[in-house]
């Protein structure tokens, strides 16, 4: 993986009807997880998908290879928890060797990744997004319904030691961890990292029980009350509005996932753990790439199916959601965030 090389695309780039070029692919390699975050899934977990319906790594590799030949230059591996899936590091190593991919990122809860940080660094991981909703060990147990606080702290320390670009993701829940906004933000005061606060979205594996979240503007107000004015940075294509704060080594981000203020510049596709291609976080999935691969589709056929889905992409998350209004929301673990 060479971030600077020139690479000749094998296929024309993927461009949607609104002129947005798709360059970023998020892959949920599993729907399973070793935690049970309250905003993501119920205590008993989501009904986990049987193994045969989960896309295999060799099937995923074929799809990523076709996409990297059509302008996808950045991949994020997510889940569920990616590190609960066997064979993840081998898959990482294989896609890291694909010519067209310039960046491979990971999103993780941090409980298992510490064992692999050295190897990930050697393989050239571009960055890690580490979920951390609290700085308090007891509250960690309340939010995630599991143990693992020490391991997450270890992963954080090791990523810093190895100099891997780090982003902290914190979902803010009213009355649960909104009192930690300041403490979490201070991690970016001390370290050259991004701390990103995320509005809770209605993806918790349940039909109901979703109350209006602690909004992006409330988060910003809370931060400005403590740190003074936040200075917006220009970072097009990102879901996070980034801010610099005088005296901070790092940056603060706010992700208005519920308010959806970033659709205009969205450049991302998603593949779920069952191999469904999604062109929007809020849609129900466009095509079943796994079945196409299993039915023997060649690369040209895969490319054609992907372009077909891209040609029908919705304008924004509100339009996509309208089509799925009365269907129970999936868990974020099934979609990959
Ligand atoms: N297990 C990994 C983790 O927690 O980082 C990767 C998968 S998780 C689904 C990806 C991201 O989605 C995490 O940062 C998590 O906090 C976020 N997330 C999960 N459910 C969410 C929800 N209902 N609203 C907003 N963000 C959510
Ligand atoms: Fe697991 Fe990540 Fe969902 Fe938490 S947010 S339950 S760690 S998939």
């Amino acid at each position: 993986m060479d971030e600077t090389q020139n690479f000749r695309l094998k296929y024309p780039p993927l461009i949607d009807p609104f002129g947005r070029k798709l360059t970023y692919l998020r892959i949920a390699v599993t729907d399973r997880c070793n935690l049970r975050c309250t905003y993501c899934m119920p205590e008993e977990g989501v009904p986990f998908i049987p193994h045969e319906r989960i896309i295999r790594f060799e099937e995923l590799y074929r799809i990523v290879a076709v996409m990297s030949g059509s302008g996808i230059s950045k991949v994020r591996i997510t889940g569920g928890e990616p590190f609960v899936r066997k064979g993840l590091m081998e898959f990482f190593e294989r896609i890291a060797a694909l010519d067209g991919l310039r960046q491979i990122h990971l999103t993780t809860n941090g409980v298992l990744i510490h064992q692999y940080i050295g190897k990930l660094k050697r393989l050239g991981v571009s960055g890690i997004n580490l979920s951390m909703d609290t700085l308090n060990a007891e509250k960690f147990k309340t939010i995630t319904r599991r143990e693992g606080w020490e391991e997450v702290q270890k992963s954080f320390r090791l990523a810093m030691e190895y100099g891997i670009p780090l982003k902290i993701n914190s979902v803010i829940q009213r009355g649960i961890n909104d009192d930690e906004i300041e403490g979490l933000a201070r991690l970016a005061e001390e370290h050259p990292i991004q701390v990103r606060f995320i509005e809770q979205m209605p993806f918790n594996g349940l039909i109901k029980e979703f109350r209006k979240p602690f909004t992006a503007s409330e988060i910003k107000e809370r931060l400005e009350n403590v740190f003074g004015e936040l200075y917006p940075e220009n970072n097009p294509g990102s879901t996070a509005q980034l801010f610099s704060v005088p005296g901070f080594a790092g940056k603060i981000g706010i992700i208005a996932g519920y308010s959806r203020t970033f659709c205009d510049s969205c450049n991302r596709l998603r593949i779920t753990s069952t191999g469904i291609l999604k062109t929007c976080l809020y849609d129900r999935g466009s095509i079943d790439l796994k079945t196409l691969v299993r039915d023997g589709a060649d690369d040209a056929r895969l490319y054609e199916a992907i372009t077909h889905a891209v040609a029908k992409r919705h304008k924004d998350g509100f339009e996509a959601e309208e089509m799925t209004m009365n269907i129970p929301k999936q868990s974020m673990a099934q979609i990959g965030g």
Side-chain angles (χ1 to χ4, degrees):
M1 192 172 40
D2 177 351
E3 295 198 17
T4 57
Q5 71 180 346
N6 278 323
F7 172 70
R8 253 190 91 134
L9 294 185
K10 195 163 169 204
Y11 306 99
L14 302 166
I15 299 176
D16 76 12
F18 307 94
R20 293 169 298 194
K21 192 167 165 188
L22 286 313
T23 56
Y24 176 14
L25 172 67
R26 300 174 63 100
I27 309 172
V29 292
T30 179
D31 61 324
R32 292 171 195 243
C33 190
N34 46 355
L35 301 183
R36 291 286 181 276
C37 304
T38 47
Y39 49 77
C40 183
M41 52 174 91
E43 165 82 69
E44 64 279 14
V46 281
F48 290 120
I49 300 162
H51 282 296
E52 62 280 7
R53 285 192 47 221
I54 299 288
I55 188 160
R56 297 183 197 111
F57 276 132
E58 66 266 25
E59 295 164 343
L60 262 179
Y61 176 78
R62 275 209 53 213
I63 296 164
V64 177
V66 169
M67 287 192 173
S68 69
S70 45
I72 295 291
S73 56
K74 172 177 173 182
V75 162
R76 174 172 304 282
I77 297 174
T78 173
E81 173 50 37
F83 287 90
V84 301
R85 179 147 184 199
K86 262 203 271 173
L88 179 77
M89 291 303 289
E90 290 75 13
F91 174 67
F92 189 102
E93 191 159 0
R94 277 195 84 192
I95 62 169
L98 281 170
D99 273 346
L101 286 193
R102 310 272 165 101
Q103 296 183 32
I104 308 180
H105 297 252
L106 280 157
T107 301
T108 175
N109 62 31
V111 176
L112 299 169
I113 194 178
H114 54 87
Q115 311 159 58
Y116 305 106
I117 292 217
K119 182 157 187 202
L120 286 166
K121 174 75 182 177
R122 282 195 297 284
L123 292 174
V125 67
S126 309
I128 294 174
N129 286 12
L130 180 64
S131 292
M132 210 195 278
D133 302 322
T134 172
L135 294 168
N136 176 298
E138 276 310 304
K139 209 185 273 182
F140 178 87
K141 272 194 231 168
T142 309
I143 294 176
T144 68
R145 303 186 183 108
R146 292 290 184 273
E147 302 288 336
W149 167 249
E150 294 299 332
E151 287 79 2
V152 177
Q153 298 311 305
K154 187 170 173 187
S155 299
F156 175 78
R157 283 194 304 273
L158 280 173
M160 297 299 305
E161 268 170 48
Y162 277 95
I164 298 174
L166 193 61
K167 294 179 187 169
I168 301 296
N169 283 344
S170 304
V171 176
I172 298 303
Q173 293 179 276
R174 196 182 304 282
I176 308 275
N177 65 340
D178 59 302
D179 58 336
E180 297 212 37
I181 292 175
E182 177 183 347
L184 287 161
R186 287 201 186 277
L187 291 174
E189 186 173 29
E190 197 181 330
H191 305 285
I193 60 174
Q194 285 184 22
V195 174
R196 303 157 6 130
F197 297 102
I198 307 178
E199 265 181 356
Q200 189 183 353
M201 291 180 259
F203 295 108
N204 56 7
L206 297 167
I207 304 173
K208 45 187 190 309
E209 283 188 33
F210 185 73
R211 274 171 280 143
K212 192 171 181 297
F214 200 85
T215 62
S217 47
E218 285 176 281
I219 295 169
K220 182 157 181 271
E221 192 184 324
R222 193 66 79 80
L223 287 163
E224 291 194 318
N225 284 342
V226 182
F227 300 110
E229 193 179 344
L230 302 182
Y231 297 92
E233 302 257 310
N234 191 16
N235 57 322
S238 172
T239 50
Q241 170 61 63
L242 273 193
F243 297 95
S244 59
V245 184
F248 272 44
K251 307 264 182 241
I252 298 292
I254 300 179
I255 302 182
Y258 182 71
S259 319
R260 279 159 269 185
T261 50
F262 40 67
C263 300
D264 278 357
S265 59
C266 179
N267 61 352
R268 50 192 69 191
L269 293 174
R270 291 179 162 80
I271 298 179
T272 68
S273 58
T274 53
I276 305 294
L277 179 73
K278 282 167 74 79
T279 60
C280 172
L281 176 61
Y282 283 85
D283 76 21
R284 287 295 288 182
S286 312
I287 40 165
D288 181 349
L289 289 174
K290 175 190 78 229
T291 300
L292 273 177
V293 173
R294 287 189 188 172
D295 287 349
D298 63 9
D299 288 357
R301 172 76 190 97
L302 285 177
Y303 173 74
E304 184 192 285
I306 295 163
T307 46
H308 189 70
V310 167
K312 291 199 183 151
R313 196 167 185 239
H314 292 289
K315 182 165 159 285
D316 56 37
F318 294 103
E319 190 183 287
E321 191 180 34
E322 233 175 78
M323 307 292 175
T324 64
M325 239 8 172
N326 299 317
I327 306 174
K329 286 280 181 285
Q330 289 173 296
S331 157
M332 200 64 110
Q334 295 165 315
I335 315 168

